[in-house]
Amino acid sequence: MTARDGAGLQAVPDGIDVPQHPLVVPTAGAVPEPLGPLLAPDAMREIAEASGLRQMGVRPPLREYIRSVWARRAFIRELGSAKAYARNQGSYLGQAWAVLNPLLNAIVYVIIFGLLVHTTRGTANGIAFIVVGTFIYRFFDASVSAGGRSIKGNLSLVRSVHFPRAALPVSSVVTEAATLAPALAVMCVVAWLSGFMPGYAPVPITWRLLFLPVAIVLMWMFNTGMAFITARWVAVTPDIENVIPFVLRFVMYGSGVLFSISHFVTHPGISHVLQYQPVAVYLYLCRSTVLNEPSIPIDAPSMWIAGVVWALLFLVGGFLYFWRSEQRYGRD
């Protein structure tokens, strides 16, 4: 038998047992001995946990999962901001489309529903009513759609890197919030300018605008909860992604984006349900801070309470719903 030392091969006398070592070259026909006794599974688990290793494909405890998501808040913020910045990089106008898209969308709806069909009967300024509605609803629509794509569209990242998957739907809503910020300024300016048109009530700039960020934060919480829900739906059943646009269109027409629910829906029970469903509540809150509509007063405690309740209910419930399938994402 021969063994290797620092200079090369060296003969070993017969009859001397040489321990099997990576540096030992056994002779032909020799059967290697095991490196040592195998560790028991419990001992191996203790060593892995002491080294900071975690078992893959297992849903972590809720408290640990929350801490893990919070620890990656910088990653969530940077990922969301990077996606928002890269969204329109391939176009000539670049980031201007973050404002032009909702603005052009609002112009189309104002011309069709405000000037031709007159769905804004019962409002003092129909143009501002539709503009605020379309800008704010687009935030909800885009957040839900992006949340549904957050897992399916990042499967390579999900399958190659270990991190809490909840970071992806949260970052998708952060992306939409980043594009909403400049759009809100344009929304307020257009609403204010509409007040100078003949036949439309003025939209003064008052202290009520200070409550607009509060309404947006509540809606962001609600949108994040919805993103958690749609992310799990699409990750488990990809066909649902094709159904989401039709559901969102139905929600749009049932939330008073283009018309006043209290004016057009005469049945008291149905009207009450439609006005207090989540999307309609946040449209009301945002309109009450920007517009000067007598039918949309800002001092409506029931609407603000409903906004807080819907935000907390969907954020917490959506997070728990998403967490319960953490081990399935990227594996189904």
Side-chain angles (χ1 to χ4, degrees):
M1 179 178 297
T2 59
R4 185 186 302 270
D5 57 12
L9 296 177
Q10 180 180 359
V12 178
D14 294 336
I16 298 179
D17 295 331
V18 179
Q20 298 299 317
H21 186 273
L23 297 180
V24 175
V25 181
T27 58
V31 179
E33 298 179 359
L35 295 177
L38 295 176
L39 294 176
D42 293 340
M44 295 179 64
R45 186 180 298 110
E46 292 178 1
I47 294 175
E49 293 177 353
S51 303
L53 302 179
R54 295 293 181 267
Q55 186 177 356
M56 297 292 293
V58 176
R59 184 182 66 202
L62 179 59
R63 184 175 300 180
E64 178 183 336
Y65 190 71
I66 294 174
R67 286 199 300 264
S68 181
V69 174
W70 176 252
R72 288 164 176 81
R73 59 190 180 277
F75 164 74
I76 294 172
R77 182 176 61 253
E78 292 299 326
L79 180 61
S81 301
K83 286 185 176 181
Y85 182 78
R87 174 172 293 176
N88 300 306
Q89 282 298 97
S91 59
Y92 288 108
L93 296 179
Q95 300 306 312
W97 283 109
V99 172
L100 290 176
N101 274 326
L103 180 60
L104 294 175
N105 197 37
I107 290 174
V108 171
Y109 284 125
V110 166
I111 294 175
I112 295 177
F113 294 95
L115 302 180
L116 298 180
V117 184
H118 297 289
T119 61
T120 56
R121 293 190 300 271
T123 60
N125 190 324
I127 293 179
F129 184 90
I130 292 179
V131 166
V132 175
T134 52
F135 269 74
I136 299 303
Y137 183 78
R138 187 177 184 278
F139 178 39
F140 166 76
D141 184 296
S143 297
V144 173
S145 300
R149 298 188 300 266
S150 60
I151 300 296
K152 181 181 176 182
N154 294 279
L155 282 180
S156 59
L157 180 63
V158 171
R159 290 170 176 171
S160 60
V161 181
H162 179 62
F163 66 98
R165 308 317 188 206
L168 294 177
V170 174
S171 68
S172 68
V173 182
V174 171
T175 299
E176 303 307 326
T179 58
L180 175 68
L184 287 178
V186 175
M187 179 191 76
C188 293
V189 171
V190 173
W192 174 69
L193 291 175
S194 67
F196 293 96
M197 297 181 63
Y200 294 92
V203 182
I205 300 175
T206 66
W207 57 270
R208 294 175 304 177
L209 281 173
L210 298 175
F211 287 89
L212 179 59
V214 179
I216 294 299
V217 168
L218 291 176
M219 191 174 191
W220 173 82
M221 295 170 61
F222 169 75
N223 289 354
T224 303
M226 285 298 304
F228 283 134
I229 295 173
T230 55
R232 174 174 170 175
W233 285 351
V234 176
V236 175
T237 310
D239 292 335
I240 293 181
E241 185 179 5
N242 298 317
V243 181
I244 289 178
F246 298 98
V247 176
L248 291 175
R249 196 174 306 165
F250 178 80
V251 173
M252 174 182 173
Y253 290 110
S255 300
V257 175
L258 306 173
F259 61 91
S260 172
I261 295 177
S262 59
H263 184 80
F264 277 86
V265 183
T266 57
H267 190 283
I270 297 177
S271 177
H272 188 78
V273 170
L274 291 178
Q275 289 184 66
Y276 281 90
Q277 56 99 344
V279 178
V281 167
Y282 296 116
L283 289 175
Y284 180 101
L285 295 180
C286 292
R287 282 170 171 155
S288 69
T289 63
V290 178
L291 308 182
N292 190 28
E293 292 285 346
S295 60
I296 311 176
I298 192 172
D299 54 344
S302 60
M303 282 295 182
W304 287 99
I305 293 174
V308 173
V309 171
W310 284 127
L312 294 176
L313 180 64
F314 273 81
L315 181 62
V316 176
F319 182 81
L320 294 176
Y321 181 74
F322 182 88
W323 163 74
R324 290 182 64 86
S325 286
E326 174 74 9
Q327 72 278 6
R328 300 180 60 182
Y329 304 132
R331 295 175 175 268
D332 290 341

